[in-house]
Amino acid sequence: MRIPFFNMFIASPFDALQEHAEKVKECSWAFQQAMECYASTRCDTFDEHHQEVIRFEHEADEIKRRIRGHLPKGVMLPIEKFQLFRYLREQDGVLDAVHESLKWLSFRSDAGIPEAVEKELFLLVDAVIEPIEELAHMVDEARKYFKTFSEKQRRKVKEIIRNLRQMEHDADQLEHALIEKIFANETDPISVFHLVRLAETIGSIADHAENASDMMRAMLAK
């Protein structure tokens, strides 16, 4: 019978990864609220939502440092430490990209979102929120797998990974459509630059989520 190695530890590294993933997931609501506020001419709470995301980022950084600083030394793990750290970096990259998107918006606090591209922008925002939430689900199921090494549980995690890839593909298509719409409707060079970079930064949220799922797949394969 295969011994679940993580049972040798007081706490599995995946417990802390789950804690970090939940912190990333918490930012999705504040991100969505901030985007809707920015687009509205009657909302003045954008900075509050932005600060909330910054707070989540700081809390996630503390968890990240704890994971890096408290992994057991001299004990064989069922995964490579560098894989775990690369996974963590990509999961953390999701939150960094959310923060970067709001910081970029704050540079033009009164610009708003042009009506011609508003629909496409919010389709993209919705598309990147799904993978943020799916990450926490994936880590939760992976944590169960590394406790039991059940093949059924492994297949469940791999199915979530496939879903994340599809979500990234869908977000990529929406990012492309948004950029096309920006070039077709905007004539002011500064607005074009601001909106195109915003689209790319929001799109990178799904990119980091997919990268994290790729690292999870590598950990499952060992």
Side-chain angles (χ1 to χ4, degrees), residues 108 179 182-183 185-198:
R108 302 193 80 200
I179 291 175
I182 292 167
F183 279 113
N185 288 277
E186 294 299 311
T187 55
D188 174 58
I190 294 178
S191 294
V192 169
F193 174 65
H194 185 248
L195 289 168
V196 167
R197 181 168 172 184
L198 176 65

Side-chain angles (χ1 to χ4, degrees), residues 24-155:
V24 175
K25 181 180 174 181
E26 284 182 67
C27 83
S28 61
W29 174 251
F31 172 58
Q32 192 170 33
Q33 293 296 302
M35 292 299 301
E36 290 176 1
C37 184
Y38 185 87
S40 170
T41 56
R42 292 175 294 179
C43 180
D44 58 2
T45 57
F46 173 82
D47 287 339
E48 291 178 21
H49 299 307
H50 187 188
Q51 289 303 316
E52 194 173 9
V53 168
I54 292 173
R55 179 173 62 81
F56 287 137
E57 188 179 33
H58 287 166
E59 292 172 358
D61 283 345
E62 290 179 7
I63 299 169
K64 183 174 64 178
R65 285 191 289 272
R66 179 151 44 89
I67 293 172
R68 288 173 173 169
H70 293 82
L71 272 183
K73 296 179 181 177
V75 178
M76 183 179 292
L77 293 171
I79 55 173
E80 299 289 346
K81 283 186 181 180
F82 85 91
Q83 290 178 325
L84 188 72
F85 290 154
R86 283 188 64 186
Y87 174 85
L88 180 60
R89 184 176 66 185
E90 293 298 339
Q91 184 167 274
D92 200 57
V94 171
L95 191 42
D96 288 342
V98 168
H99 179 201
E100 185 62 28
S101 299
L102 297 185
K103 185 171 75 173
W104 183 248
L105 276 179
S106 72
F107 292 150
R108 302 193 80 200
S109 57
D110 298 326
I113 302 297
E115 188 176 345
V117 302
E118 188 173 307
K119 177 185 174 184
E120 284 76 12
L121 176 67
F122 280 102
L123 285 174
L124 178 60
V125 169
D126 290 343
V128 301
I129 283 177
E130 287 185 31
I132 293 175
E133 297 176 343
E134 194 69 354
L135 271 182
H137 181 207
M138 179 179 71
V139 177
D140 184 40
E141 297 298 338
R143 182 174 60 165
K144 295 173 186 172
Y145 166 70
F146 283 110
K147 285 181 178 176
T148 63
F149 291 96
S150 153
E151 183 56 29
K152 180 181 178 182
Q153 188 63 28
R154 184 170 177 269
R155 288 196 297 270

